[in-house]
Amino acid sequence: DKAGHRHFMAKEIHEQPTVSTYALAHYVDAATGLIRSEAEAVDFAQVDRLVLVACGTGHYACAIAKYWFERIARLPVECDIASEFRYREPPLSGRDAAVFVSQSGETADTLAALRYAAPHVGHVLSVVNVAESSIARESQIVLPILAGPEIGVASTKAFTSQLVTLGALAILAARQRGAIDEDEERRLVRILSEAPRKLSEAIACAPEIEAAAITLAEARDVLYLGRGPLFPLAMEGALKLKEISYIHAEGYASGELKHGPIALVDSSVPVVVLAPRDGLFEKTISNMQEVMARGGRIVLFTDAAGAEAAAEGAARVVVMPDCDPFIAPIVYAAPAQLLAYYAAAFLGKDVDQPRNLAKSVTVE
Ligand code: F6R
C-alpha cells in the first residue's frame, strides 16, 4: 500500500517525520528529557574506541555518526565499509566497541565483519531495522531503529532512523564519559527531538526540490558538496541519485574540490551544495564561487540566513528550516532523497526497483 503516493520510495520519504519519532520514543525518556538508562548496556567510559561498520547507506549513517561520537562524546571512531573491514582484518582490542549498522540485518559483508570482530572486541552492538535478523541475533546488544518495513530498494526512512538512534547513542556515550553534564544532555536531547518536526518542514519544500531535480535530470554528471557531517550526506545524496536515476553522481568534501574534482566542472555539471549557515559556511561560499566562475550551475540547499548571504548566482536555492547543526544531517537527508526521487521519476525510471539492485544483499 503506497498510501496515495506513486512509489514506495515517496511514501517512505514522507513517513520520516512520523517514523523517526519511534526511535526517539524508544531511546529518550520523555519524563526526564535524558537518554533512557535501558540503553546503558555498554559503559562507554570503559571504551577507548568505537568501530562503526556497514555497507552503502548504512555506512554513510556511520560516517555522519563519527562526527557526533568524536565531537559530543570525545570518543575516537574508526568507520569502515564492511567489505574492506572484513578482509583487511584490522587490529581490534577488548576496549573497542563495534557497531554494525544494517537495515535488513542480513547483508553478507556486514555479518562477516561482525563475525570477524566478535572474538576480539569488548562489545558487539547492532543497529538494525529487522529485529529477528542474523546480524541482530549475533550481536550482544541490539539497538532497533523501528522504522517499519522498507520496501523501496533505495533506503530512505531507515537512514534517518539509523541517524536518530546513533545520535541518541552518542549522547549516552558523552554522558558516561563525562563529556557533558545533565543540562547539556537535556539540551542535546531536545535538539535531537526536534528532528521529526524539522524533517516535516524540509519535506514541505517538495515543490522547490522537484523544480531543482528537473535541472539535474538532464545532466550526465552531478557533484554533491558538503562539509563536516554534511560531507557523508553529500555522498549519500549522490548514491541515491545514481542508484535510481542512473545519473553519475559523486559526493565530495567541499574542501577537496580544488584537489581534483573541480576539473569536471563546466556548465553541463550541476553542483548540489548542502550548506546550512554554520561555522564553515563562508568556506563553502568560496567553494561555490569557484564552481560558478567555471560556469557550473549551483543547486544550493541552505537555511534562510544562508540564502540571504549566498543565493546570488546560484541556479536554484532551496530554503531549509533553521536547525541546530547537530541535526542538520538528518534534516537535510530528506531533500537529498527527494532530489533523487524527483529526478528519477521525471526520467520515468523504475524508482522502487532500480536495475541491478536488490533490497537485501546476502551474497558478497
Ligand atoms: C542504498 C541502499 C544500500 C544499502 C546497503 C546495506 O539506498 O539501500 O546501499 O544501504 O545494501 O543494506 P543493509 O542496511 O540492509 O545492510
Side-chain angles (χ1 to χ4, degrees):
D1 174 25
K2 298 180 189 139
H5 292 279
R6 272 176 67 201
H7 301 97
F8 282 108
M9 185 181 178
K11 171 183 176 242
E12 288 162 3
I13 291 171
H14 284 85
E15 271 175 354
Q16 292 175 110
T18 308
V19 160
S20 58
T21 64
Y22 304 153
L24 273 170
H26 190 76
Y27 296 105
V28 169
D29 181 343
T32 60
L34 302 172
I35 301 298
R36 269 186 213 284
S37 40
E38 297 95 279
E40 280 186 69
V42 179
D43 180 3
F44 283 97
Q46 305 303 319
V47 169
D48 289 341
R49 185 174 69 148
L50 193 64
V51 178
L52 300 174
V53 182
C55 297
T57 290
H59 168 64
Y60 294 133
C62 292
I64 289 167
K66 174 180 164 83
Y67 288 81
W68 293 336
F69 282 101
E70 290 182 349
R71 178 151 306 169
I72 303 170
R74 308 307 301 163
L75 178 59
V77 176
E78 143 107 6
C79 176
D80 207 350
I81 49 175
S83 57
E84 285 301 310
F85 180 89
R86 62 180 287 198
Y87 291 116
R88 203 172 75 247
E89 301 184 356
L92 297 168
S93 100
R95 292 186 59 92
D96 288 337
V99 182
F100 299 87
V101 176
S102 176
Q103 187 284 129
S104 62
E106 300 297 345
T107 299
D109 279 322
T110 309
L111 182 58
L114 184 159
R115 288 177 178 160
Y116 165 73
H120 307 293
V121 297
H123 307 277
V124 175
L125 295 83
S126 60
V127 171
V128 294
N129 198 27
V130 182
E132 54 287 348
S133 60
S134 306
I135 289 173
R137 264 198 314 274
E138 295 195 25
S139 14
Q140 292 155 359
I141 299 157
V142 180
L143 304 175
I145 63 168
L146 306 166
E150 193 179 59
I151 309 293
V153 164
S155 187
T156 54
K157 63 176 179 172
F159 178 68
T160 43
S161 291
Q162 285 162 353
L163 288 175
V164 166
T165 302
L166 290 164
L169 193 65
I171 298 171
L172 175 69
R175 176 214 298 166
Q176 293 175 334
R177 294 170 63 78
I180 54 171
D181 62 17
E182 205 173 283
D183 283 348
E184 178 63 2
E185 179 173 349
R186 278 209 184 81
R187 192 185 73 86
L188 291 170
V189 166
R190 215 163 35 236
I191 292 166
L192 188 62
S193 307
E194 285 170 1
R197 184 168 54 84
K198 299 285 179 182
L199 272 168
S200 137
E201 289 173 35
I203 290 169
C205 299
E208 294 87 49
I209 301 169
E210 183 167 16
I214 292 167
T215 315
L216 301 194
E218 63 205 23
R220 208 185 58 171
D221 305 284
V222 179
L223 296 180
Y224 284 68
L225 302 179
R227 280 182 184 268
L230 295 185
F231 158 44
L233 185 65
M235 294 192 280
E236 165 62 6
L239 177 66
K240 287 284 96 88
L241 187 69
K242 65 188 128 186
E243 66 182 331
I244 60 169
S245 76
Y246 318 139
I247 297 169
H248 172 242
E250 297 300 334
Y252 284 98
S254 307
E256 272 294 291
L257 186 67
K258 58 167 73 67
H259 299 288
I262 197 160
L264 293 170
V265 172
D266 63 22
S267 61
S268 72
V269 181
V271 180
V272 177
V273 180
L274 306 172
R277 180 143 204 183
D278 58 16
L280 295 170
F281 187 70
E282 304 301 323
K283 312 258 179 225
T284 303
I285 296 190
S286 66
N287 299 135
M288 271 173 46
Q289 283 160 347
E290 288 156 6
V291 168
M292 291 189 294
R294 285 155 187 85
R297 284 172 303 148
I298 298 281
V299 175
L300 174 63
F301 289 86
T302 186
D303 47 29
E308 187 161 335
E312 203 178 309
R316 296 267 172 197
V317 180
V318 184
V319 181
M320 293 286 102
D322 286 330
C323 64
D324 188 276
F326 175 27
I327 57 167
I330 306 177
V331 178
Y332 282 60
Q337 297 160 351
L338 282 169
L339 194 63
Y341 172 73
Y342 285 125
F346 179 77
L347 293 169
K349 304 299 183 202
D350 187 347
V351 173
D352 286 332
Q353 292 276 302
R355 67 187 184 200
N356 309 341
L357 295 176
K359 183 68 187 159
S360 185
V361 184
T362 53
V363 292
E364 44 172 314

